[in-house]
Amino acid sequence: NQNADLSIVKTGPSTVTRGTTLTYSLVVSNAGPGTASNVVVTDPVPAGVVFNASASDASCHLNGSNVVCDTFSLTNGQSKVLVLSFSVPSTATCNATLTNTASVTSAATDPNTGNNQSQTVSTTISCPITGADLTVQKSGPATANVNGTVQYVLTAINAGPDGASNVVITDAIPAGLTFNASNSDAACTQNGSNILCTLSSLPMACVFSPALF
C-alpha cells in the first residue's frame, strides 16, 4: 500500500446574505510520495442551509447529513479544487453563524493525518436592509401679493431600497391662506386645517411633486 500525505484547505466568505448562495472552496493536495487513490472528501452540511448540487463540483453529492466528494485520485504533487454551494433560506436567522469543516481520506496510508481536516470556516448570516427611505422638500416664493396666489411645490423622494405604498404628504395650511383645490394637484385635498397629498405607491428612486396653490 502506497503512502500519500493528503491535506485539505477550506475557504469561504465571512458573511452571506440570507436568500442567496453560500459557496466554499476546498483545495485537496497530495504531497506524496505515492498516489492517493479513492480520495474521499467529507463535508458536513452546516445547520439551516441546503446543499446546492447543481452549483457544486460534479464529484460531490449529498450522503445523509454530509456532502461527499469522491471518485478521483491524486498523484504525487497533484491538487484538486472543489466548489461546494449551499442555499441559505430567506427565513434564516439574522446574525446567526454557520460553521463548517471538511476532511479528506484515501485508500493510501497517510503518514501525516494532522492535515487531513481543514480549518473551521465561520460565516455570519446577514439580512438585507428593507424599507423605504422617504424625504420631502418644499419650495415657494419669498414674497406674495395681497389677493394673489401663492404656489408651493412639494417633492417626495423615495431612496429605497423598497417601494413605498400609501404615501401621504401632510401640509398645514398657512394662517390667512385659503386652499385653491382647482389649481392644485389632483392628488391633494383639504382635510381640516391640512392639505393631504396621497399616492398609492412610490417606487424606489422615484419622485412625487404635487403643486399647491
Side-chain angles (χ1 to χ4, degrees):
N1 192 23
Q2 299 188 75
N3 287 351
D5 179 14
L6 291 178
S7 62
I8 185 169
V9 175
K10 180 167 193 170
T11 57
S14 59
T15 62
V16 63
T17 303
R18 68 177 183 179
T20 63
T21 300
L22 170 61
T23 301
Y24 296 107
S25 176
L26 303 175
V27 180
V28 185
S29 303
N30 179 14
T35 295
S37 59
N38 300 320
V39 177
V40 178
V41 174
T42 303
D43 193 321
V45 178
V49 300
V50 179
F51 177 55
N52 187 335
S54 63
S56 300
D57 192 275
S59 67
C60 303
H61 55 91
L62 188 63
N63 185 354
S65 60
N66 297 314
V67 175
V68 175
C69 307
D70 50 18
T71 68
F72 65 94
S73 298
L74 294 174
T75 59
N76 182 12
Q78 187 179 13
S79 296
K80 182 177 177 64
V81 178
L82 301 170
V83 174
L84 299 185
S85 293
F86 299 87
S87 299
V88 182
S90 58
T91 56
T93 303
C94 299
N95 299 317
T97 300
L98 302 172
T99 57
N100 189 257
T101 305
S103 60
V104 62
T105 61
S106 77
T109 299
D110 196 322
N112 176 21
T113 58
N115 56 5
N116 291 166
Q117 181 166 304
S118 74
Q119 72 276 32
T120 299
V121 176
S122 298
T123 304
T124 301
I125 299 175
S126 63
C127 293
I129 298 174
T130 59
D133 181 12
L134 296 179
T135 58
V136 63
Q137 301 170 358
K138 183 172 184 177
S139 61
T143 60
N145 296 324
V146 176
N147 297 322
T149 300
V150 180
Q151 178 184 2
Y152 297 104
V153 176
L154 307 175
T155 302
I157 303 172
N158 181 10
D162 295 333
S165 58
N166 300 319
V167 177
V168 179
I169 300 175
T170 302
D171 193 325
I173 299 175
L177 298 185
T178 302
F179 177 54
N180 187 332
S182 61
N183 287 332
S184 298
D185 194 283
C188 302
T189 58
Q190 184 170 348
N191 185 343
S193 60
N194 296 314
I195 305 301
L196 304 182
C197 302
T198 60
L199 191 66
S200 60
S201 64
L202 186 62
M204 175 186 170
C206 285
V207 176
F208 172 47
S209 297
L212 303 181
F213 291 86

